[in-house]
Amino acid sequence: MVMFVQLQQMGFDKPDEYTFAAIIAATGAFPASDYGKPLHAQVSKTGYERNVYVGSTLIAMYFNNGESDCAQNIFSLIAEKDAILWTEMIAGHCRMADGENAIRFFRGMSQQGQKIDSFALSSALSACADLVTLRQGEMIHCEAIKMGYDIEISVCGSLIDMYAKTGKLQAAELIIFEIGFPDLKCWNAILGGYSHHGKADEALKVFEEILKHSLEPDQVTFVFLLSACSHCGFVDEGKFLWNCMRERGLRPLPKHYSCMVSLLSRAGLFEEAEEMILESPFSGNYLDLWRTLLSSCIISNNLELGVRAAERVLSIDADDGATHILLTNLYAAAGKWDEVTRMRRKIRELMFDKDPGLSWVEVIDSIHVFSSSDQSHPEIDELQGELKRLKGNMMGLERDEI
């Protein structure tokens, strides 16, 4: 940026598209208001806003700042869109966990006859994994095979992740076994699948394979391993992995602590779990650790520790809705109905707005999304009619049984 300012002060020719692309790319990681938007203003004045080379760097900059609408506006301005521009839109939406738009742009890229590469395929498959849309993922897998990209290691990693997250572990295993030398991303993807589905034994075997292939496990590897141990109650194995991670010089992050706190508290080792939170550098600012402990106290009916954990959270955030609800459940489990009444009154006073639960179903080539009390679906009348018919059948079945 310093050199860019010097260039302008020296009175040479005005910056061209390559100059702008280079400086926008160099400053893209900073807040957009610092450099990106002022540079965008200069680009607009010089007329390079519609240039593919400059446009792709502007799109990347806005996605890095979480401003997808601005990225969309730049994309719309450019008449001659190339594969790089389309891929940037797919990858950008994928990074922002906006899988639906990532898939939409992937379809648009294909319909426009653009040459799809391994980066676009990998990003689209990652979007399918996040949306848990198996059919769409299988179709993209077919495209990858036709184009010969199914042997690309980046595409293989995304395929394994997609099949693992959609519950097709056998398909994920088949892909990783066909790869000659899987990289850590591939192993982590299958590890995430085993962790998600509570297959701790298989996860530990994958860890052995990672070490056997002389790969260095990273923090993602250990998050999945500890999560798998937590789901299955493998306390000794979890403690071993925790020590193994630290011996390798990997600093535990909040997610690692959360897995260990869950593992210890589910096993009834509440003192160890509380001690781990207090010794962590996140005890004062990562409230999920205390919420995890509180949640386990409800299951084990540990009123004293549960109240202590809740007080820790509420001392930092007195209006924390999740903690108030968990504390109410704790009092209910302990039969403290006066406290339950008091907490429910307090919750009403704070007027918490819970995010509505979402569910979706994939039918042929469309994804239908539903939320609580939502009446906006175009086929809502037919759906309500079918629901009424099913309820009638169930009532009729009950009468027959009586």
Side-chain angles (χ1 to χ4, degrees):
M1 193 66 199
V2 171
M3 291 185 72
F4 179 73
V5 172
Q6 287 177 353
L7 171 67
Q8 291 187 304
Q9 290 173 343
M10 291 174 75
F12 290 152
D13 290 337
K14 291 181 179 180
D16 61 13
E17 64 266 38
Y18 302 106
T19 315
F20 278 119
I23 189 60
I24 292 166
T27 58
F30 293 104
S33 57
D34 289 357
Y35 297 115
K37 288 185 177 179
L39 285 167
H40 185 185
Q42 287 197 39
V43 165
S44 299
K45 288 177 184 176
T46 54
Y48 288 127
E49 196 174 24
R50 289 175 168 80
N51 179 278
V52 175
Y53 199 55
V54 178
S56 62
T57 56
L58 280 170
I59 287 170
M61 181 271 294
Y62 279 119
F63 272 124
N64 285 338
N65 283 271
E67 298 186 34
S68 58
D69 289 343
C70 293
Q72 174 68 63
N73 291 338
I74 301 291
F75 182 81
S76 301
L77 286 172
I78 301 169
E80 298 292 327
K81 300 174 178 65
D82 64 2
I84 295 172
L85 205 66
W86 281 99
T87 303
E88 195 65 61
M89 292 300 291
I90 298 165
H93 281 108
C94 193
R95 287 196 301 273
M96 290 186 65
D98 185 358
E100 289 185 45
N101 271 319
I103 297 298
R104 183 168 66 84
F105 276 98
F106 180 80
R107 286 176 180 163
M109 183 180 184
S110 183
Q111 288 165 359
Q112 291 296 316
Q114 294 287 343
K115 183 172 173 23
I116 294 172
D117 60 12
S118 60
F119 298 107
L121 286 165
S122 181
S123 296
L125 286 165
S126 295
C128 291
D130 292 338
L131 290 171
V132 200
T133 52
L134 176 62
R135 181 179 170 81
Q136 185 70 55
E138 287 175 331
M139 288 193 287
I140 295 172
H141 187 182
C142 289
E143 290 194 49
I145 292 170
K146 289 176 185 176
M147 297 173 189
Y149 285 122
D150 58 315
I151 57 172
E152 288 270 351
I153 201 75
S154 61
V155 175
C156 287
S158 297
L159 278 169
I160 294 165
D161 187 44
M162 185 273 294
Y163 281 119
K165 284 182 178 174
T166 54
K168 297 288 182 180
L169 287 173
Q170 277 189 316
E173 289 166 350
L174 187 63
I175 292 167
I176 201 165
F177 291 146
E178 287 179 348
I179 302 170
F181 298 98
D183 64 2
L184 189 62
K185 180 190 174 184
C186 293
W187 288 116
N188 280 347
I190 193 77
L191 202 54
Y194 287 142
S195 169
H196 183 72
H197 295 285
K199 295 183 176 289
D201 286 320
E202 288 84 347
L204 292 169
K205 287 175 184 174
V206 168
F207 183 58
E208 291 174 8
E209 287 293 323
I210 290 171
L211 298 179
K212 195 186 294 181
H213 283 74
S214 300
L215 295 170
E216 195 63 35
D218 61 7
Q219 288 168 322
V220 175
T221 311
F222 283 103
V223 164
F224 289 143
L225 286 166
L226 292 171
S227 176
C229 290
S230 174
H231 286 315
C232 298
F234 286 14
V235 177
D236 292 337
E237 290 83 350
K239 288 181 176 180
F240 166 78
L241 290 165
W242 178 264
N243 293 328
C244 181
M245 179 175 64
R246 305 196 77 160
E247 286 167 6
R248 290 175 176 274
L250 294 171
R251 187 174 67 88
L253 298 175
K255 285 186 178 180
H256 298 102
Y257 277 103
S258 186
C259 289
M260 282 303 292
V261 169
S262 176
L263 172 64
L264 293 169
S265 54
R266 283 184 182 187
L269 302 172
F270 291 107
E271 289 183 11
E272 286 187 47
E274 185 179 20
E275 187 179 340
M276 177 161 282
I277 297 174
L278 292 170
E279 289 178 355
S280 80
F282 310 106
S283 61
N285 55 11
Y286 191 70
L287 302 182
D288 269 348
L289 295 177
W290 292 109
R291 289 195 204 100
T292 301
L293 183 60
L294 172 56
S295 182
S296 296
C297 288
I298 296 170
I299 299 166
S300 301
N301 201 12
N302 190 329
L303 181 63
E304 183 183 349
L305 179 58
V307 170
R308 198 156 65 237
E311 287 173 349
R312 286 276 186 174
V313 177
L314 298 176
S315 66
I316 298 166
D317 182 3
D319 295 338
D320 186 75
T323 301
H324 279 90
I325 292 166
L326 286 171
L327 188 55
T328 304
N329 295 339
L330 177 66
Y331 284 133
K336 302 281 185 180
W337 301 111
D338 289 342
E339 292 297 328
V340 170
T341 304
R342 182 178 67 83
M343 289 302 302
R344 285 179 177 167
R345 192 181 301 119
K346 189 168 185 179
I347 290 169
R348 282 196 296 271
E349 287 171 1
L350 292 169
M351 295 178 66
F352 291 123
D353 291 324
K354 281 187 70 178
D355 292 331
L358 293 177
S359 62
W360 60 89
V361 62
E362 188 178 8
V363 180
I364 308 176
D365 59 350
S366 299
I367 298 169
H368 299 263
V369 182
F370 304 92
S371 66
S372 179
S373 303
D374 180 24
Q375 301 291 312
S376 62
H377 194 280
E379 297 175 58
I380 187 66
D381 292 335
E382 291 90 334
L383 290 166
Q384 293 284 12
E386 180 64 13
L387 185 61
K388 187 176 180 181
R389 185 185 71 80
L390 289 169
K391 283 181 177 178
N393 287 349
M394 291 164 69
M395 290 170 68
L397 193 63
E398 282 183 1
R399 283 195 297 269
D400 292 342
E401 287 177 354
I402 292 168

